[in-house]
Amino acid sequence: MDISALSRDDTSPPPGSLQQWLGAHAELAQGVAAAWVGLIEPLNNFAAVKSLVSGRYVFASAGLAQLFAQATLVGSNDSELMRAEEAVSIRRVEQAVMAQQSVVVSEHRLELGGRRREFTVTRIALNKDFLLAVWHERTEERHRESHLQRALLQIEQQQKSLEQVRRELQQGSGRDDLSGLYLRAQFDDQLLREIDLSTREHREFALVIIALDPLPANVEQIGAEANERLLEGMGRMLRANTRAMDAACRIGETHFAVLLSGVGLATAHARMEQLRRQCATQIIVTNGLDMGLSLSMGVSSFPHTASKKDELQAASEAAVAEAQQRRGGNQVVLASISFEA
């Protein structure tokens, strides 16, 4: 039997832990604590240690004292620093920390100097008598979030209004109601005409198939309304980024097609990459949430990729599938070109 194993202290800190390292360098412990406080204060974090017996602070960093407009917090209790109901709320959380003996994060709103300020406070019990807390002020961050939310709601309202006007103007035009683009039947006719014209005039053109990438989980939960806003946004981008001689159509639930007349493969790829980047920066809002616009594209060229309608379309669709399935989406992929002997 290994007697040394039996005599080992089961409460000893695990290898590689901070406790073990401090135990081996006890002379650095005090310096580490001071350095830690100095490191977190520039990040708007403020440390404090409170005696649970007296309810008074036995240590508080300089930044926390400044928040409460005090030279020092040592010897003060919460009732002297804030309103009674705020002190009660803090005391309630501290009791929960002692009961759980684990890290507890809580939110507090305090009236300080006539101004409402917001804090996230992380607490942990040091032992049965003392509590360590790190305060992080989030007042300005919450103000920015509030301003951003209002701006997003305004953008959402403007986008809905513009789309409503666009629908009214395009009513009866035979275009897709959501995207404002031509439908699958017009695309098939246009593709056949483009093949015929390019064959007779010995010129090239590009076919691009575009697919909306799958939605993130938080956006997918919104449901049909999110899909509608994205389809509207896709339509706006294609209408604004295609020439009069090009044709942009909606050919499926989340798929679009663009015919780039007289354009070679390299030029088509460059234009679609530019479009992809522009879409990635678009603000498309539903229920105050900016959903963004992530696309995958497959680009083929007539006659280099294929010279027949079905083969050309299949090549672009295969490139889109590769962009989404193998490359994770938000990509422009050139269709493969077969070299026959």
Side-chain angles (χ1 to χ4, degrees):
M1 181 180 295
D2 186 354
I3 300 177
S4 62
L6 292 176
S7 62
R8 186 182 299 133
D9 184 1
D10 291 336
T11 64
S12 60
S17 66
L18 179 61
Q19 295 97 318
Q20 184 197 43
W21 183 81
L22 287 175
H25 301 83
E27 73 282 1
L28 298 178
Q30 185 174 356
V32 167
W36 173 73
V37 172
L39 286 173
I40 67 171
E41 284 222 338
L43 301 176
N44 213 26
N45 295 307
F46 313 105
V49 178
K50 183 185 289 185
S51 167
L52 294 174
V53 176
S54 65
R56 298 185 179 277
Y57 290 93
V58 296
F59 165 77
S61 63
L64 190 61
Q66 292 176 4
L67 284 175
F68 287 97
Q70 302 289 322
T72 178
L73 294 187
V74 174
S76 302
N77 61 37
D78 290 326
S79 299
E80 300 167 349
L81 300 171
M82 60 192 73
R83 296 184 300 181
E85 61 271 21
E86 296 169 347
V88 169
S89 174
I90 286 180
R91 182 61 179 171
R92 187 181 302 116
V93 175
E94 291 173 346
Q95 290 172 343
V97 174
M98 299 308 296
Q100 297 176 24
Q101 290 293 303
S102 62
V103 175
V104 174
V105 180
S106 60
E107 303 284 332
H108 297 279
R109 295 181 179 179
L110 306 180
E111 191 80 28
L112 300 177
R115 179 188 177 198
R116 177 62 63 88
R117 303 176 78 160
E118 300 187 33
F119 301 90
T120 297
V121 185
T122 306
R123 298 178 175 88
I124 188 170
L126 297 179
N127 55 29
K128 64 183 180 61
D129 295 325
F130 296 99
L131 190 74
L132 172 64
V134 175
W135 292 62
H136 175 69
E137 184 172 9
R138 305 192 65 182
T139 307
E140 296 303 323
E141 179 183 343
R142 293 289 169 79
H143 284 170
R144 288 193 298 270
E145 290 174 353
S146 177
H147 291 322
L148 175 60
Q149 192 64 31
R150 287 198 294 270
L152 289 174
L153 290 173
Q154 290 175 357
I155 291 172
E156 180 178 5
Q157 187 59 45
Q158 291 172 356
Q159 288 177 344
K160 288 181 178 179
S161 299
L162 290 172
E163 287 300 323
Q164 181 60 36
V165 172
R166 192 264 306 163
R167 284 192 178 95
E168 293 173 357
L169 292 174
Q170 290 185 348
Q171 194 169 16
S173 66
R175 295 185 177 227
D176 175 51
D177 189 43
L178 285 175
S179 67
L181 303 175
Y182 290 113
L183 296 170
R184 181 63 186 251
Q186 290 97 328
F187 164 73
D188 290 335
D189 290 341
Q190 184 69 26
L191 179 55
L192 288 173
R193 285 197 297 268
E194 192 68 35
I195 290 175
D196 181 62
L197 181 63
S198 297
T199 300
R200 285 187 285 108
E201 297 186 358
H202 302 287
R203 69 178 190 179
E204 56 187 352
F205 73 89
L207 169 61
V208 184
I209 302 296
I210 303 173
L212 295 177
D213 289 330
L215 301 178
N218 62 328
V219 175
E220 192 173 13
Q221 292 175 355
I222 299 175
E225 187 176 359
N227 288 321
E228 291 179 3
R229 298 290 85 76
L230 289 171
L231 291 171
E232 291 169 353
M234 189 69 242
R236 286 194 299 271
M237 293 302 296
L238 287 178
R239 294 195 305 271
N241 288 276
T242 49
R243 305 166 301 171
M245 68 280 288
D246 299 329
C249 308
R250 183 183 176 192
I251 62 172
E253 186 65 28
T254 59
H255 283 67
F256 302 82
V258 181
L259 291 173
L260 299 174
S261 182
V263 170
L265 198 60
T267 302
H269 181 273
R271 286 183 55 185
M272 290 303 101
E273 177 61 25
Q274 182 180 19
L275 175 62
R276 183 196 65 79
R277 292 179 181 179
Q278 289 179 3
C279 289
T281 63
Q282 289 299 297
I283 298 175
I284 299 178
V285 189
T286 301
N287 295 343
L289 175 66
D290 180 12
M291 300 181 292
L293 186 58
S294 179
L295 311 174
S296 293
M297 305 185 189
V299 184
S300 64
S301 174
F302 175 93
H304 306 292
T305 306
S307 58
K308 296 181 180 179
K309 173 181 176 292
D310 292 342
E311 293 176 357
L312 192 65
Q313 190 169 336
S316 290
E317 290 173 345
V320 167
E322 179 181 350
Q324 288 190 318
Q325 297 170 13
R326 292 183 56 191
R327 305 194 185 184
N330 195 26
Q331 299 281 334
V332 179
V333 174
L334 294 176
S336 60
I337 299 176
S338 61
F339 296 94
E340 298 181 356

